[in-house]
Amino acid sequence: MGQTLTEKILSEHLVEGELETGEEIGIEIDQVLTQDTTGTFVWLQFEALGLDEVQTEVAAQYCDHQTYQFDFKNTDDHRFLRSAAGTFGAHFSRPGNGICHNVHKENFAAPGKTMLGSDSHTPTPGGLGELAIGSGGLDVAVAMGGGPYYIEMPEVVNVRLEGELPEWSSAKDVILEMLRRLSVKGGVGKIFEYTGPGVETLNVPERTTITNMGTELGATSSIFPTDEETREYLSRQGREDVFEQIGPDEDAEYDDEIVVDLSDIEPLVAKPSMPDNVVPVREVAGQDVEQVIVGSCTNGGYEDILPAAKMLKGQEIDMKTEMIVAPGSKQASEILAREGWTAEMMAAGVNFSEATCGACIGIGHVPASDSVSVRTFNRNFEGRSGIEDDSVFLSSPEVAAAAAIKGELTDPRDLADELGLDAPGVQMPDKYNGSKTDLIAPDEAVDDELVKGPNIGDVPLKDPLDSKLEGEALLKMDDNITTDHIIPATQDILMYRSNIPKLSEFTLSRVDDTFAQRALDSDGGFLVAGENYGQGSSREHAALCPMYLGIEGVLAQSFARIHKANLFNFGLVPLTIDEADYANIEQGDDIEIVDDVAEAVDSGQEEFTVRVNDDWELTAHLDASAREREILSAGGKLSLTRSQYDAE
Ligand code: SF4
């Protein structure tokens, strides 16, 4: 039987296990990526593990989430990251050089390689045939040290693309269509492998828009085969030498198949406040728009901004609407400027931001209250823009530019009819000839020892798992709690990411601002949640801070993949419960796990009896591999890995 592309890459990197769906496998990692909000902790953990040199082919540290450096804490973090990259042998991308996924795609992504990154949109280079997976920072630290990455073998789903996109429809609409069909949970435990005749009609930047936002489906990763389009992209980036022709065997067998006819795709938007709340633009046309932003790791490339620029040339942005362009990388900014497009957009009324995540995580350009913002980003979770009652629509750059010109949601085809606009298409520049001054290679390193400012603290460690786990249900939450709910990514909070006692004060404050103090005052305790707990980012602080506050475990109907791995990594027990039991537990109930937890976890026990208020009992399930059980028993992965290194 032939192999899928995913199976081919995994078999070449397999160090443990077999490629059976649902079985745990260990794979060798070729490349790692970290960004500034997760990177400080990655390097502190790398240091705490006693490791002294990066072992992967490529390790890259980006500074993209907090580049405005509002106070010394951000700048200290960036200096620490530069010093860590220099000390341990990683590339360092300076603040302002761009968003990790964009800069990595431009400089390092390569067909057939594996990558692990401490950011949830790590799968972006799947558009070039790289198998890239987002994980918690500790997994990245261990992979950088040469350790395997463990994961349950996902299902591999064939997404067969037929036809060709019509004018004014874009790659963003393809992934929005996938979200419309499958929802934000539709990709959990899956890798989406794109195949079929439609693939060659999309260039690499279009493919990476789709693989980037596969994360919103909850997918482990998304990947395209390589072809002449891939070679062309790499050649224009000056990296043709890494090209390799790879794809699935003709008789590859997939776990499932989805067919998307590109010629049926029309301009779509995700309505507030979930990326799967997708409708045709025409269904919501006419709604006033006060803000438009083109940018982010999804649609911040030269190829994304150029269509908007072409539409804006000779036009004026509506008087009540602000439009911001935030390029995903300095390379994109520089080429647009050299070609004169920046001036055309400025003349139309666009304001420019530096190449940063910025508004995507509520840092700058917060929308006005009770107003609509149209963004080309990948997420519109409530409050992510920096204001709680926001109303953010996700769209393609074409739909965003149309909204800016018209001042209201508009299907770009209708605007084109009205103004006589030509469809802009999606083109790459002849050469990606941006300068590389902001990317410092290991052999050009500025520092050879760690530089830690006062806001950079120690890594907290947890004791081995107790036999007795009991405490209060300190917080009961609904479905789809995101890591943004657990630890908000806003500037005023994330500046404490290397200072865990301080950061912990903000844990779940968006759900209940008394939670952190109540947790500290309690001696242990539990979180209770509905479906898909921990969806969103790879932010390991969303597990680390509850651990620091003394939380012992989470009872949820289901968990998002990366967050569940992070719970194991920080020694919190993730137990699944059914819907009826979830409904019966109240916040404030006394929870007691009747079993000897330490022994049960060690022995592979899957069902646990949970007594509530000494009154009724429910059965909770622990779905954990032998390795995850070992991690839990040790009090987390850091404690376990340290003890293993000590024993060697
Ligand atoms: Fe940055 Fe937003 Fe992309 Fe995350 S999703 S890497 S915050 S641009």
Side-chain angles (χ1 to χ4, degrees), residues 207-227:
R207 295 176 193 180
T208 55
T209 292
I210 294 171
T211 48
N212 169 282
M213 222 172 145
T215 297
E216 276 50 58
L217 291 162
T220 302
S221 193
S222 304
I223 192 165
F224 277 79
T226 62
D227 55 13

Side-chain angles (χ1 to χ4, degrees), residues 65 99 101 119 121 296-297 357 360-361 378 384:
H65 282 61
I99 303 171
H101 310 303
D119 189 275
H121 292 91
S296 90
C297 58
C357 295
C360 183
I361 41 169
N378 46 37
R384 186 175 168 93

Side-chain angles (χ1 to χ4, degrees), residues 344-622:
E344 297 291 355
M345 286 186 276
M346 283 179 147
V350 167
N351 290 321
F352 278 81
S353 151
E354 70 180 56
T356 177
C357 295
C360 183
I361 41 169
I363 298 177
H365 304 299
V366 176
S369 58
D370 197 19
S371 73
V372 167
S373 176
V374 176
R375 300 172 166 208
T376 65
F377 302 172
N378 46 37
R379 293 186 167 158
N380 58 349
F381 300 143
E382 193 182 18
R384 186 175 168 93
S385 68
I387 178 167
E388 275 304 323
D389 62 343
D390 55 11
S391 188
V392 174
F393 288 70
L394 305 176
S395 80
S396 68
E398 290 85 347
V399 172
I405 295 168
K406 191 84 175 158
E408 59 189 41
L409 277 162
T410 309
D411 187 306
R413 296 170 295 184
D414 299 333
L415 187 75
D417 287 346
E418 192 180 321
L419 302 180
L421 298 178
D422 290 331
V426 179
Q427 289 98 34
M428 296 187 282
D430 293 338
K431 266 273 163 262
Y432 289 96
N433 53 358
S435 56
K436 305 262 183 200
T437 35
D438 286 309
L439 193 59
I440 303 175
D443 61 3
E444 306 164 330
V446 179
D447 319 85
D448 56 9
E449 61 182 41
L450 295 177
V451 183
K452 292 183 183 175
N455 190 45
I456 296 177
D458 292 328
V459 181
L461 285 170
K462 193 173 190 304
D463 291 333
L465 189 62
D466 272 340
S467 296
K468 192 82 214 147
L469 289 193
E470 58 188 335
E472 190 182 324
L474 286 163
L475 193 60
K476 182 173 177 184
M477 296 165 276
D478 295 334
D479 292 346
N480 295 322
I481 290 293
T482 69
T483 49
D484 276 342
H485 286 110
I486 307 172
I487 291 292
T490 48
Q491 157 62 23
D492 53 331
I493 294 176
L494 266 192
M495 69 168 85
Y496 296 114
R497 62 188 168 263
S498 317
N499 180 348
I500 301 308
K502 182 69 188 168
L503 185 67
S504 297
E505 292 175 13
F506 299 96
T507 310
L508 285 160
S509 56
R510 284 186 52 202
V511 181
D512 176 350
D513 60 9
T514 67
F515 168 74
Q517 194 56 49
R518 288 193 291 111
L520 270 182
D521 294 344
S522 315
D523 188 16
F526 293 86
L527 295 171
V528 178
E531 298 276 10
N532 202 17
Y533 178 71
Q535 69 156 331
S537 76
S538 66
R539 206 167 301 152
E540 61 187 347
H541 295 89
L544 175 60
C545 290
M547 178 271 259
Y548 178 81
L549 294 174
I551 295 299
E552 305 279 7
V554 184
L555 306 176
Q557 283 177 252
S558 64
F559 294 90
R561 180 186 66 84
I562 301 178
H563 188 64
K564 186 175 172 194
N566 281 334
L567 291 173
F568 284 122
N569 283 348
F570 291 96
L572 275 73
V573 188
L575 291 169
T576 46
I577 56 176
D578 68 27
E579 194 179 351
D581 290 328
Y582 164 78
N584 284 335
I585 298 179
E586 301 286 341
Q587 184 166 315
D589 283 353
D590 287 327
I591 305 281
E592 178 195 357
I593 300 181
V594 178
D595 310 77
D596 179 322
V597 183
E599 201 180 291
V601 167
D602 274 347
S603 69
Q605 189 175 315
E606 290 180 0
E607 291 192 351
F608 288 72
T609 304
V610 177
R611 187 172 294 146
V612 183
N613 289 339
D614 229 355
D615 178 28
W616 60 281
E617 290 183 353
L618 63 93
T619 302
H621 297 264
L622 178 66

